[in-house]
Amino acid sequence: MCGRYSLISPPGLLKERFGANLATDFAPTYNAAPSQHLPVITNAAPEQVRLMQWGLVPAWVKDRTSGPQPINARAETLAEKPSFRQLLQRRRCLVLADSFYEWQQKEAHGLPPKTPHRILLTSGQPYAFAGLWDEWLDRATGEVLPTFTIVTTEPNALMQPLHHRMPVILEGAKAEQAWLSDAVPAAGHQALLRPYPAELMREYVISKLVNSPAHNEPAVLEPAS
């Protein structure tokens, strides 16, 4: 799964990397968590970065507080789940990030269980998770709430010792454009949802500061002592 990540890249770098304008200013986030409003690029407006709430609230839900708000969606079953099937066809997005966190659930190499790790590209550059999005309308107030979920897949060799799932990191600008494109058939979109090459990633153990979203500070990124 993917339950925490970071985006600390400067706005200028993000604009250059993704070819999209920032709809609003946003501060670096060292510990992005569910329910926060975070930078996303949608297939409906690929030229713009906008903020959306992490945790999907489908448009058809009557009461947004009564049901689940999934932060992740399994790539293998997107076409089977009612909550995701139509979104795969018409509402795909890029979730901007530059690292994510995972907790090793079993004791290994002398480390205690639930040890937090930071995972990033060897280049250190920002990238995009494959995501799905939707907009929920409050019929009483007229408020529109845009939300998203991150697609996950099976782990690569780097991630296997840490967790049985990993977020789908799209493999560069060409894959990102294909994920957003409405001209690409469903099979083409599904083919993009694969594990990122392990040799292009690295990871290291960090402190338990990351356990609390209240710790949104550079110290979260520091290697554990």
Side-chain angles (χ1 to χ4, degrees), residues 15-183:
K15 182 176 181 180
E16 179 182 356
R17 167 65 179 79
F18 295 102
N21 295 313
L22 308 180
T24 183
D25 291 333
F26 55 87
T29 179
Y30 299 89
N31 198 359
S35 81
Q36 295 178 359
H37 287 74
L38 300 160
V40 168
I41 299 173
T42 71
N43 62 313
E47 72 290 341
Q48 185 178 72
V49 180
R50 58 185 296 198
L51 298 181
M52 290 188 171
Q53 181 177 294
W54 186 11
L56 188 72
V57 180
W60 49 264
V61 169
K62 292 184 179 179
D63 181 1
R64 74 181 189 186
T65 64
S66 63
Q69 298 183 15
I71 63 170
N72 292 153
R74 293 175 65 94
E76 300 89 337
T77 57
L78 290 182
E80 303 168 13
K81 301 284 187 178
S83 297
F84 304 135
R85 186 187 307 121
Q86 290 191 5
L87 299 184
L88 178 61
Q89 297 173 356
R90 60 187 180 86
R91 291 199 160 176
R92 299 168 307 280
C93 65
L94 307 179
V95 181
L96 309 191
D98 44 36
S99 74
F100 67 96
Y101 307 114
E102 192 53 79
W103 283 257
Q104 193 170 31
Q105 297 295 312
K106 61 183 180 179
E107 189 170 351
H109 307 298
L111 296 173
K114 296 189 177 179
T115 301
H117 295 247
R118 183 184 184 217
I119 302 100
L120 62 163
L121 304 190
T122 53
S123 66
Q125 293 297 300
Y127 55 79
F129 298 127
L132 302 175
W133 67 283
D134 209 347
E135 291 182 327
W136 180 82
L137 173 64
D138 186 329
R139 290 173 174 78
T141 65
E143 174 196 7
V144 176
L145 177 67
T147 64
F148 72 92
T149 187
I150 294 172
V151 181
T152 67
T153 185
E154 60 187 15
N156 61 20
L158 180 85
M159 288 297 300
Q160 280 178 347
L162 306 182
H163 202 272
H164 64 280
R165 304 291 294 174
M166 70 178 290
V168 172
I169 300 175
L170 294 165
E171 296 180 36
K174 185 175 180 180
E176 292 160 5
Q177 292 164 8
W179 177 246
L180 293 183
S181 175
D182 293 330

